[in-house]
């Protein structure tokens, strides 16, 4: 019986490791996406800084009557 318990425990550990691997992959993917967005934001900052605004604050306000 002890051998069966060891096998079950190993299977349980393997499943947990698979889950951890999946979560780490998702975390790394999210970090990559954030880094790419931040890089894009920084690289476009100077370019867009001198561009005129398309809409004024008045254009963006929602009016309720």
């Amino acid at each position: 019986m002890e051998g069966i318990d060891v096998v079950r425990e190993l299977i349980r550990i393997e499943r947990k490791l698979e889950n951890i691997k999946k979560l780490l992959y998702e975390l790394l993917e999210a970090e990559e996406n954030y880094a790419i967005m931040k890089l894009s934001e920084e690289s476009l900052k100077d370019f867009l800084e001198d561009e005129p605004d398309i809409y004024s604050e008045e254009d963006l306000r929602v009016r309720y009557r």
Side-chain angles (χ1 to χ4, degrees), residues 9-50:
E9 187 65 18
L10 287 173
I11 290 170
R12 188 181 71 79
I13 290 170
E14 184 179 20
R15 286 183 185 148
K16 286 191 178 236
L17 287 173
E18 289 288 327
N19 191 32
I20 290 170
K21 180 181 171 184
K22 179 183 171 204
L23 291 172
L24 282 173
Y25 177 78
E26 290 173 3
L27 179 62
L28 288 172
E29 193 172 71
E31 287 290 322
E32 276 182 6
N33 289 338
Y34 176 76
I36 290 170
M37 287 188 296
K38 192 67 178 166
L39 183 62
S40 295
E41 179 184 320
E42 289 299 316
S43 65
L44 291 173
K45 187 177 178 181
D46 291 336
F47 173 74
L48 294 175
E49 198 170 80
D50 297 330

